Amino acid sequence: MAETALDRLMPGPDALARIRAEIDGYNAERPRVARQAQMRLAAYFAGWALVSAAICWPLVVGGYGRMFGLACVAILFSGYFLYDRAIAARDGFRQTLRDRLLPSLFGFVDDLRYSSNGSSRFLERMPGNEFLRRTDSRHRDLLSGTHEGFAFTLCETELSVGSGSKREVTFDGVIVAFQQENGFPGTLLAARRPGRLAKAIRGLFDDGRLTEIKSGDDGIDASHEFRSDDPQSAMPRVAAMAKALDYLSDVWPEGVVRIAVRHKDGFLLVPTKKDFFELPPIGVPLDFERHVQPMIADLMTLLATARLVSRI
């Protein structure tokens, strides 16, 4: 059987042995940690229920309706705090494994840096509201490094506008930031709707100062949108960008896939609900083929597409 690109990226025998040892150690400890978390949860909430009853009963009997309402709010908040405390050790156990496992799993990435709590700094050079409306950002796992000379930063990110009840999520997925090999003299934005939205309302970008560009292909123009402040330089690039967008939309058809290029900076945005580097619930045994190996495939799909865009 011919060796695939993914096969070539699989960890070598020594690294694979270390990964499997980590998985075996995790699976051996997993039942004990899960059992302890359940016992803490039961003990905490038994005490919480008794204290809550001791506080609320006299207020009900005495007819203190206002104080009873305030007590209920305080009790609900305390219940959330206790739940968080009860499962903290369980979640910390899973995160510790990820901290050890991911550097070994992605050993083919040079200068690998991983953080479970990403930073917004990589977004500072990304085009603003003309590309995607946002006033706030939240970040989860962040991975950065260099693969075969291609430097990248990948982060699970949520972008939003507004706050409180008026908060609107405008993007939730993965952002890959990278450098363009040849650069672009201005700003070029590209986006593709999922198939079911291809004939939906036009206008994926908000900035009227950027010129809309037509590829000349009716099929592409029906489902893609391109805008730039330098249409002449952008025109030769849109067909290749459409191919990259089509590929990712087929793999992750959950929303509008976007590309932004500004001078040397490139950004690839793939909306998805998938948590790329998450482990299964602690009640599920961790399996290399089912849970770990797909992380490599997902990372390589994103990097391969980002590299393609960087060469356009």
Side-chain angles (χ1 to χ4, degrees), residues 30-306:
R30 182 180 51 79
R32 180 185 63 81
V33 174
R35 185 168 57 252
Q36 289 179 346
Q38 291 175 345
M39 292 174 62
R40 278 194 301 271
L41 198 60
Y44 284 178
F45 276 92
W48 175 79
L50 289 174
V51 172
S52 298
I55 294 173
C56 290
W57 179 250
L59 297 178
V60 173
V61 173
Y64 299 103
R66 178 178 175 81
M67 293 184 65
F68 173 73
L70 294 174
C72 286
V73 172
I75 287 169
L76 288 175
F77 276 106
S78 66
Y80 175 81
F81 173 77
L82 286 175
Y83 176 80
D84 189 61
R85 292 285 295 176
I87 66 172
R90 183 196 70 184
D91 292 345
F93 173 65
R94 294 169 70 233
Q95 183 59 49
T96 298
L97 175 68
R98 289 202 301 167
D99 292 341
R100 296 196 307 261
L101 186 64
L102 293 182
S104 296
L105 186 61
F106 300 133
F108 55 88
V109 176
D110 298 325
D111 303 321
L112 178 70
R113 294 181 298 279
Y114 165 72
S115 171
S116 60
N117 185 15
S119 165
S120 63
R121 290 187 60 187
F122 75 101
L123 291 179
E124 293 174 358
R125 297 187 301 276
M126 189 172 84
N129 289 335
E130 72 273 21
F131 179 47
L132 188 62
R133 293 184 302 128
R134 63 186 188 274
T135 56
D136 187 32
S137 61
R138 300 178 181 178
H139 308 277
R140 300 183 296 276
D141 291 320
L142 182 146
L143 195 71
S144 65
T146 303
H147 176 243
E148 296 181 349
F150 179 67
F152 69 92
T153 297
L154 182 152
C155 189
E156 295 174 322
T157 299
E158 180 185 273
L159 304 177
S160 62
V161 294
S163 60
S165 61
K166 295 183 178 180
R167 182 174 180 269
E168 176 190 354
V169 175
T170 57
F171 174 82
D172 186 12
V174 174
I175 299 179
V176 185
F178 52 91
Q179 291 289 293
Q180 288 290 108
E181 290 189 7
N182 299 317
F184 184 75
T187 298
L188 172 57
L189 310 180
R192 184 191 189 280
R193 301 169 181 80
R196 63 183 181 278
L197 299 177
K199 296 182 180 180
I201 298 173
R202 300 291 295 176
L204 293 172
F205 303 116
D206 295 332
D207 194 342
R209 294 173 298 175
L210 299 179
T211 302
E212 184 171 3
I213 302 165
K214 298 294 185 181
S215 69
D217 183 310
D218 292 341
I220 291 177
D221 293 335
S223 55
H224 300 71
E225 185 172 333
F226 308 94
R227 289 186 178 270
S228 177
D229 55 4
D230 188 345
Q232 185 174 357
S233 299
M235 189 62 194
R237 306 185 184 213
V238 297
M241 279 194 165
K243 290 181 180 180
L245 290 168
D246 289 344
Y247 176 68
L248 282 177
S249 294
D250 288 341
V251 178
W252 290 293
E254 299 179 34
V256 177
V257 180
R258 299 171 184 261
I259 294 172
V261 174
R262 173 172 284 173
H263 304 296
K264 280 286 188 178
D265 294 307
F267 300 88
L268 177 65
L269 279 67
V270 181
T272 177
K273 298 299 182 182
K274 181 176 183 178
D275 193 332
F276 277 75
F277 308 116
E278 187 57 71
L279 299 179
I282 200 165
V284 177
L286 184 62
D287 179 80
F288 179 81
E289 283 74 20
R290 286 180 55 204
H291 304 125
V292 179
Q293 185 171 306
M295 294 183 186
I296 296 179
D298 289 336
L299 177 62
M300 291 312 302
T301 299
L302 290 169
L303 291 187
T305 309

